[in-house]
């Protein structure tokens, strides 16, 4: 609970007030002489939820205040998100999925914090370790870029697969499988980060569109080809 009889209540920069399901905005009022000057009672039981910083595609630091923290699971398919929605997820520690991590959103944004490590391993043959089931996946790192994602696809599956786009804006990404990265419809963009993809067939595979690499360190290895695009491959490093 929050009380201030003589001063003011403020929220520290980089943090936001959250009630467990949504962000709150507005004014926090003082409580003077036992008579509230505003509806302070609505704050009972609320906690400050840290806004999580991430590096955006343009290299600026942005903050996410509405997100779900991923937790380890041994389910064959760990489902997150709802079709038609766009949601944010955060990896803040060591998280392991002994099965597929599946995002059902129209677009899923995943922030991997510095020092954190997410490991996902496909449960059966022909499965993906991380799968954007209904839409695209965008992965972000933080300032140091030391957050790591390891996606171990099945022998005939993919490390990271999306029915739409795969975009890497930071972090350290390691993906293996028959295909390391596989985009079915839209394409693959790498803006920043350290990306190591290894496929027994192809490292980076864009079935119906482009592969664009604007920056980062990219190692793509395949038994047949390192990078394949249904349309155009653009190698134009403009970002550090």
């Amino acid at each position: 609970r929050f009380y201030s009889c003589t001063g003011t209540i403020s929220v520290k920069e980089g943090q936001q007030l959250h009630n467990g399901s949504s962000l709150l905005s507005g004014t926090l009022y003082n409580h003077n002489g036992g008579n509230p000057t505003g509806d302070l009672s609505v704050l009972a039981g609320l906690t400050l939820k840290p806004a999580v910083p991430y590096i955006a595609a343009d290299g600026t630091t942005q903050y996410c205040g509405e997100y779900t923290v991923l937790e380890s699971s041994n389910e064959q398919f760990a489902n997150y998100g709802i079709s038609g929605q766009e949601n944010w997820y955060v990896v803040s520690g060591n998280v392991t999925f002994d099965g597929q991590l599946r995002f059902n959103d129209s677009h899923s944004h995943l922030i991997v914090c510095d020092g954190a490590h997410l490991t996902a391993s496909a449960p059966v043959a022909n499965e993906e370790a991380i799968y954007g089931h209904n839409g695209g996946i965008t992965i972000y790192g933080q300032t140091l870029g030391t957050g790591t994602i390891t996606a171990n696809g099945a022998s005939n599956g993919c490390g990271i697969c999306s029915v739409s786009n795969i975009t890497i804006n930071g972090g350290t990404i390691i993906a293996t499988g028959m295909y390391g990265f596989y985009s079915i419809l839209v394409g693959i963009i790498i803006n920043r980060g350290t990306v190591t993809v290894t496929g027994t067939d192809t490292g980076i595979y864009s079935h119906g569109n482009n592969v664009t690499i604007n920056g980062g360190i990219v190692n793509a290895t395949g038994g047949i080809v390192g990078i394949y695009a249904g349309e155009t491959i653009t190698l134009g490093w403009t970002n550090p």
Side-chain angles (χ1 to χ4, degrees):
R1 299 187 181 187
F2 301 88
Y3 298 96
S4 178
C5 294
T6 58
T8 60
I9 300 174
S10 62
V11 178
K12 185 178 180 181
E13 182 179 358
Q15 293 188 330
Q16 301 185 36
L17 195 64
H18 199 275
N19 67 1
S21 61
S22 61
L23 289 173
L24 302 180
S25 61
T27 303
L28 303 181
Y29 293 97
N30 296 337
H31 189 286
N32 294 321
N35 297 312
T37 59
D39 190 11
L40 191 62
S41 62
V42 299
L43 298 179
L46 300 184
T47 59
L48 284 176
K49 183 176 183 179
V52 177
Y54 64 92
I55 305 300
D58 62 1
T60 61
T61 299
Q62 303 294 326
Y63 291 88
C64 175
E66 183 73 25
Y67 56 85
T68 298
V69 176
L70 297 184
E71 298 180 353
S72 297
S73 170
N74 58 8
E75 296 180 6
Q76 182 173 349
F77 301 101
N79 285 281
Y80 283 86
I82 300 174
S83 178
Q85 295 185 359
E86 185 168 347
N87 289 306
W88 289 75
Y89 304 90
V90 171
V91 181
S92 59
N94 292 323
V95 180
T96 300
F97 290 90
D98 293 323
Q100 183 184 93
L101 171 56
R102 177 181 292 186
F103 295 107
N104 298 304
D105 313 292
S106 60
H107 198 99
S108 304
H109 301 268
L110 178 58
I111 302 170
V112 55
C113 297
D114 283 336
H117 193 174
L118 182 154
T119 302
S121 301
V124 294
N126 303 316
E127 293 292 348
E128 304 80 12
I130 299 176
Y131 184 31
H133 180 60
N134 291 316
I137 299 174
T138 300
I139 297 173
Y140 306 85
Q142 293 185 321
T143 304
L144 299 178
T146 57
T148 301
I149 293 177
T150 301
N152 301 311
S155 59
N156 292 321
C158 311
I160 300 177
C161 177
S162 170
V163 299
S164 183
N165 65 295
I166 298 172
T167 302
I168 309 297
N169 288 328
T172 298
I173 316 299
I174 303 167
T176 61
M178 186 174 182
Y179 304 94
F181 287 175
Y182 193 107
S183 170
I184 298 174
L185 294 176
V186 178
I188 296 169
I189 300 174
I190 300 173
N191 291 314
R192 283 177 172 77
T194 300
V195 176
T196 302
V197 286
T198 304
T200 55
D201 186 296
T202 306
I204 297 174
Y205 191 104
S206 177
H207 177 73
N209 215 297
N210 305 323
V211 173
T212 302
I213 301 177
N214 295 318
I217 300 172
V218 180
N219 299 289
T221 304
I224 298 176
V225 64
I227 301 175
Y228 171 86
E231 294 189 6
T232 302
I233 298 174
T234 301
L235 306 178
W237 271 261
T238 56
N239 299 322

